[in-house]
Amino acid sequence: MTSSSSPSQDTRRLAQDYPDGLRADALMEEDVAWSHEIDGERDGDQFDRSERAALRRVVGLSTELEDVTEVEYRQLRLERVVLVGVWTTGTVQDADNSLAELAALAETAGALVLDGVIQRRDKPDAATYIGSGKALELRDIVLETGADTVICDGELSPGQLIQLEDVVKVKVIDRTALILDIFAQHAKSREGKAQVALAQMQYMLPRLRGWGQSLSRQMGGGRGGLATRGPGETKIETDRRRIREKMAKMRREIAEMKTGREIKRQERRRNKVPSVAIAGYTNAGKSSLLNRLTGAGVLVENALFATLDPTVRRAETPSGRLYTLTDTVGFVRHLPHHLVEAFRSTMEEVGDADLILHVVDGSHPTPEEQLAAVREVIRDVGATDVPEVVVINKADAADPLVLQRLLRNEKRSLAVSARTGQGIQELLALIDNELPRPSVEIEALVPYTHGKLVARAHNEGEVLSEEHTAEGTLLKVRVHEELAAELAPYVPTPAG
């Protein structure tokens, strides 16, 4: 364990660096108010905003450990929290940014961040994550601030959670549990709720623990009279068995829903409709960009993981080609592997796309880290072969030097602002250029009695020219091979 005689050398109280305490404002804009005059045109109808506001947490719920008499099933109830992180690699700025992001996550979950602590160590302590001495210092901070929850910037083992709680005497959760809680709040669709529930049960299973009667054994299975076959399973073992049964049922339901999603994708592929997936770090502006490009009316909020359920909208390129635009779930550093597995069927939308618009927040302190985190998840879902265009969003608020650096380092990139509309026309032209084009160019004189072929040529191909004559519609188009074969009988024969 790394030891130090001065707290300034291996423990940093971030409240000293931020006059108003460690707030999510370190990563988010000061002005989060939404007004119809400013944001109405940009963000669409905002159908879900009032419903989302109604999901805010209720102040006054207790999180004292004395309340727990059964196995730990309680939904996270965050009120006044203290953050703690272990700085093992990188610069002190990297450690500060990581804890600032944790503060943004905590505030998104409805917590009030009171203080933050970073400890310099070679590796997290195996027993209490931050070591026994620093755990005692953390207990003093909790007493001083009146906090009722400690959030650790990492995934803690069951033993670390229990032992740290024994020292600080308040509820302790880790980064993974916090992200799972935010997902549980924001999931709306049946598939999204099932995916979150599965991830929560996977996380909960090895961390179940009981107090008092929860550890007693049930009576064995004798018939009529005293049991003669020994003690039965403990309450906690019963709970684990039930959770495993629920997980198996949830996996079957998700597999069924995945089948429906795959049928829709096959239908789009059959109709030769190209697809574009919007991927990127959470709060980078993916939903705002979708609304700007299609007027989808998807909820836009200055919060992490504001939208989870993928939204698919039809769009049209400047040349008139139809394609689909999909807004996917946002990514974050150290995204829990439970979530990656549970949301794999949703993330497969990225792998099946013809083009990925990788949105990055140009005003973020470390946009390169965002790019690296998202690409790691893209590799996990097997989408490395899909062409990628880096869209640097929030260009109106970004440092011009940062924009120049990103545009120089990322060969296929473009700076835009979903807020002001800057660069949107250039982005549409880039999408038109990057989408795969039909392979066969053909000229056909289609009789007016076969108008469906003309409509399919517009929907599935690229119309180069169109002329209405006495005999029919003279088309010069690029289409796929199947449609070219249907148009072949109407190719005009050369005269004489």
Side-chain angles (χ1 to χ4, degrees), residues 3-42:
S3 61
S4 172
S5 59
S6 170
S8 63
Q9 294 179 3
D10 75 338
T11 302
R12 291 172 50 83
R13 293 286 297 276
L14 295 197
Q16 298 171 2
D17 298 331
Y18 297 98
D20 296 328
L22 183 60
R23 304 283 294 174
D25 297 337
L27 290 180
M28 304 160 83
E29 298 174 3
E30 293 284 342
D31 181 14
V32 298
W34 186 91
S35 67
H36 180 76
E37 293 78 9
I38 298 175
D39 299 321
E41 180 181 354
R42 179 180 84 248

Side-chain angles (χ1 to χ4, degrees), residues 297-311:
V298 174
L299 178 137
V300 174
E301 189 172 11
N302 192 22
L304 306 186
F305 300 114
T307 50
L308 297 181
D309 303 313
T311 303

Side-chain angles (χ1 to χ4, degrees), residues 54-185:
L55 292 176
R56 292 301 179 197
R57 293 189 177 276
V58 178
V59 176
L61 296 179
S62 171
T63 56
E64 295 298 325
L65 292 180
E66 294 84 59
D67 292 345
V68 182
T69 57
E70 292 293 331
V71 174
E72 181 68 18
Y73 276 144
R74 294 174 304 156
Q75 182 181 7
L76 298 181
R77 297 180 291 190
L78 310 181
E79 294 178 353
R80 300 162 61 83
V81 303
V82 172
L83 312 180
V84 56
V86 173
W87 168 27
T88 56
T89 58
T91 65
V92 65
Q93 186 62 43
D94 294 336
D96 286 353
N97 289 337
S98 181
L99 208 63
E101 182 176 271
L102 186 67
L105 288 167
E107 292 200 351
T108 299
L112 173 63
V113 179
L114 301 176
D115 207 345
V117 178
I118 296 178
Q119 185 193 15
R120 183 71 169 102
R121 296 178 62 90
D122 293 333
K123 61 180 180 180
D125 182 68
T128 60
Y129 183 67
I130 54 174
S132 57
K134 295 306 174 188
L136 293 173
E137 290 184 21
L138 179 61
R139 182 186 64 183
D140 295 337
I141 296 172
V142 168
L143 291 173
E144 175 189 337
T145 58
D148 53 30
T149 306
V150 170
I151 305 178
C152 298
D153 192 16
E155 184 167 336
L156 274 62
S157 68
Q160 287 173 322
L161 282 170
I162 294 172
Q163 294 187 58
L164 190 55
E165 276 186 352
D166 288 342
V167 177
V168 299
K169 304 301 181 186
V170 295
K171 177 73 176 175
V172 176
I173 65 170
D174 57 16
R175 181 188 181 94
T176 300
L178 178 62
I179 294 175
L180 287 171
D181 186 60
I182 295 172
F183 271 59
Q185 289 184 60

Side-chain angles (χ1 to χ4, degrees), residues 295-412:
V298 174
L299 178 137
V300 174
E301 189 172 11
N302 192 22
L304 306 186
F305 300 114
T307 50
L308 297 181
D309 303 313
T311 303
V312 181
R313 292 289 183 270
R314 289 170 68 95
E316 189 173 309
T317 66
S319 64
R321 300 169 61 200
L322 290 177
Y323 65 97
T324 60
L325 199 60
T326 306
D327 180 19
T328 61
V329 63
F331 305 140
V332 72
R333 280 178 296 186
H334 313 302
L335 190 68
H337 66 277
H338 306 300
L339 278 175
V340 175
E341 288 301 317
F343 276 78
R344 183 170 293 275
S345 62
T346 300
M347 293 177 180
E348 285 174 358
E349 294 282 355
V350 177
D352 287 342
D354 295 297
L355 178 67
I356 296 176
L357 297 184
H358 185 165
V359 183
V360 61
D361 183 357
S363 64
H364 191 274
T366 56
E368 287 85 359
E369 290 185 10
Q370 288 193 351
L371 288 167
V374 174
R375 283 168 176 161
E376 182 179 347
V377 180
I378 289 176
R379 282 195 299 270
D380 289 342
V381 297
T384 53
D385 295 333
V386 182
E388 175 195 63
V389 172
V390 175
V391 180
I392 308 167
N393 195 21
K394 305 183 184 180
D396 56 319
D399 184 340
L401 295 178
V402 174
L403 288 180
Q404 291 177 14
R405 185 178 76 235
L406 289 172
L407 291 170
R408 183 174 61 251
N409 295 338
E410 300 292 337
K411 291 185 169 67
R412 291 155 56 90

Side-chain angles (χ1 to χ4, degrees), residues 154-291:
E155 184 167 336
L156 274 62
S157 68
Q160 287 173 322
L161 282 170
I162 294 172
Q163 294 187 58
L164 190 55
E165 276 186 352
D166 288 342
V167 177
V168 299
K169 304 301 181 186
V170 295
K171 177 73 176 175
V172 176
I173 65 170
D174 57 16
R175 181 188 181 94
T176 300
L178 178 62
I179 294 175
L180 287 171
D181 186 60
I182 295 172
F183 271 59
Q185 289 184 60
H186 292 180
K188 290 189 58 183
S189 69
R190 179 168 171 259
E191 183 176 11
K193 290 178 180 178
Q195 290 166 330
V196 173
L198 177 60
Q200 285 181 315
M201 286 186 284
Q202 287 176 317
Y203 173 82
M204 182 194 307
L205 188 60
R207 292 171 174 80
L208 289 180
R209 57 189 189 271
W211 287 262
Q213 295 301 315
S214 299
L215 297 178
S216 64
R217 290 188 178 274
Q218 300 175 2
M219 189 62 68
R223 280 189 182 177
L226 296 177
T228 58
R229 288 186 279 179
E233 61 187 351
T234 62
K235 175 68 163 60
I236 200 168
E237 289 168 347
T238 303
D239 293 325
R240 285 182 179 138
R241 175 169 51 79
R242 288 174 177 169
I243 287 179
R244 290 191 186 99
E245 291 172 354
K246 288 182 180 179
M247 288 170 59
K249 180 182 177 183
M250 203 68 69
R251 287 194 179 99
R252 289 194 297 270
E253 291 179 359
I254 292 175
E256 292 172 359
M257 289 182 276
K258 178 183 178 181
T259 302
R261 185 179 294 277
E262 179 61 30
I263 290 173
K264 292 178 182 178
R265 282 200 293 259
Q266 289 177 356
E267 181 70 15
R268 292 197 293 267
R269 285 196 292 265
R270 187 179 67 83
N271 292 329
K272 306 298 181 183
V273 179
S275 62
V276 178
I278 303 178
Y281 213 76
T282 180
N283 205 39
K286 299 183 299 300
S287 297
S288 292
L289 186 63
L290 177 70
N291 288 344

